[in-house]
Each structure stands twice: as structure tokens, then as C-alpha cells.
């Protein structure tokens, strides 16, 4: 092989390897309330907000501007704070995308009581019977 071709091939392999180092994980949130909600990621300095209609599902990115061990989201002005184990401990087996770099969302459901539940690894949203909740769940506003 020519020296230039080998260098080009090495760069391609390196870029493919590095692209697998990190990726954005989403929260797949089902709004099980009778009202539309707006979900804002407080961990991100841009505070991107996502509207989710009543009894609909929406995807919210889990992106931090600073390193932290917990996630803070504002849902209709109320603050919810929670943390998870190491990814993919609480990731869904249902809400995944990608082939080579498969990434699976964290499934959550907001109930009319205002509590936020983890839906479970194998559950399809909406959930009527929740699995055993991880430490810290369900989460209420101000938690």
C-alpha cells in the first residue's frame, strides 16, 4: 500500500473510533397529565425547553454544560432533581436508535400527582404499573 493511502486509512479508522467515545442520551418522557407541559434542562446553560402535549411522549436531551452527578429539569416551573447509575443501567431496551453506536433513552413518566417515575428497561410508555423504582424515584418537585 502507498504511504499516503495508509495515512488516509489510519485517519478514517481513528475518526470512527473517536466518534464512539461519547454520545447524547435522551430522556423519553411520557406526559400522563391532562395538561401540556414544558420540560427544560437546567443542567445545560442554554436551558433548552421541549413542549410535550397531554398524554403524549417527548424526547429531552441529557446534556450538561458542567460536570455534575445529578440531573435537574424544570417541568412547568417546578424543579425536579434526580440521578442515575452508570449508563446504560437505567436505559430502555425499547427506545433505542442507532446501529453501530446504539444508544437507548431513559424512559420516564410524569403522573397527574406531579411525581416523575422511571418506566423500566423493558416497558413501553405509557406505563400503568411501574417496576421497582431506583433509589431516589419517584421524584417530586423540589426534590
Amino acid at each position: 500500500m502507498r504511504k499516503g493511502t495508509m495515512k488516509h486509512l489510519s485517519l478514517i479508522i481513528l475518526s470512527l473510533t473517536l466518534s464512539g467515545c461519547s454520545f447524547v442520551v435522551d430522556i423519553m418522557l411520557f406526559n400522563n397529565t391532562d395538561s401540556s407541559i414544558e420540560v427544560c434542562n437546567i443542567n445545560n446553560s442554554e436551558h433548552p425547553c421541549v413542549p410535550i402535549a397531554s398524554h403524549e411522549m417527548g424526547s429531552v436531551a441529557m446534556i450538561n454544560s458542567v460536570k455534575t452527578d445529578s440531573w435537574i429539569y424544570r417541568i412547568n416551573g417546578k424543579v425536579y432533581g434526580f440521578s442515575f447509575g452508570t449508563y446504560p443501567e437505567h436505559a430502555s431496551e425499547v427506545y433505542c436508535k442507532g446501529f453501530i453506536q446504539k444508544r437507548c433513552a431513559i424512559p420516564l413518566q410524569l403522573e397527574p400527582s406531579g411525581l416523575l417515575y422511571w418506566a423500566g428497561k423493558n416497558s413501553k410508555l405509557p406505563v400503568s404499573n411501574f417496576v421497582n423504582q431506583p433509589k431516589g424515584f419517584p421524584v417530586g418537585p423540589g426534590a
Side-chain angles (χ1 to χ4, degrees):
M1 238 183 225
R2 288 183 20 217
K3 190 174 184 178
T5 305
M6 195 63 172
K7 184 178 178 181
H8 185 69
L9 185 59
S10 296
L11 287 173
I12 291 172
I13 290 171
L14 180 63
S15 68
L16 289 174
T17 304
L18 291 177
S19 67
C21 291
S22 65
F23 50 87
V24 175
V25 175
D26 293 333
I27 289 176
M28 191 60 66
L29 178 65
F30 185 82
N31 175 12
N32 200 30
T33 72
D34 291 332
S35 303
S36 294
I37 61 173
E38 181 178 66
V39 182
C40 304
N41 180 351
I42 303 304
N43 292 75
N44 189 330
S45 60
E46 296 175 12
H47 302 297
C49 297
V50 175
I52 304 174
S54 173
H55 301 286
E56 294 290 329
M57 191 163 38
S59 180
V60 183
M62 293 180 78
I63 300 174
N64 283 347
S65 296
V66 294
K67 185 169 174 47
T68 181
D69 293 330
S70 63
W71 297 96
I72 302 172
Y73 287 84
R74 188 174 62 234
I75 302 175
N76 280 4
K78 297 176 182 170
V79 177
Y80 290 76
F82 52 89
S83 60
F84 287 109
T86 305
Y87 180 86
E89 185 178 346
H90 295 97
S92 169
E93 295 294 329
V94 178
Y95 301 102
C96 298
K97 52 186 167 184
F99 176 68
I100 293 172
Q101 194 176 35
K102 180 179 173 183
R103 61 186 196 268
C104 301
I106 309 289
L108 300 178
Q109 183 167 309
L110 180 66
E111 287 295 292
S113 64
L115 293 177
L116 191 61
Y117 286 84
W118 178 61
K121 288 182 91 58
N122 300 307
S123 300
K124 188 169 172 75
L125 294 166
V127 173
S128 54
N129 295 313
F130 293 101
V131 298
N132 288 337
Q133 296 293 290
K135 183 180 178 184
F137 277 82
V139 177

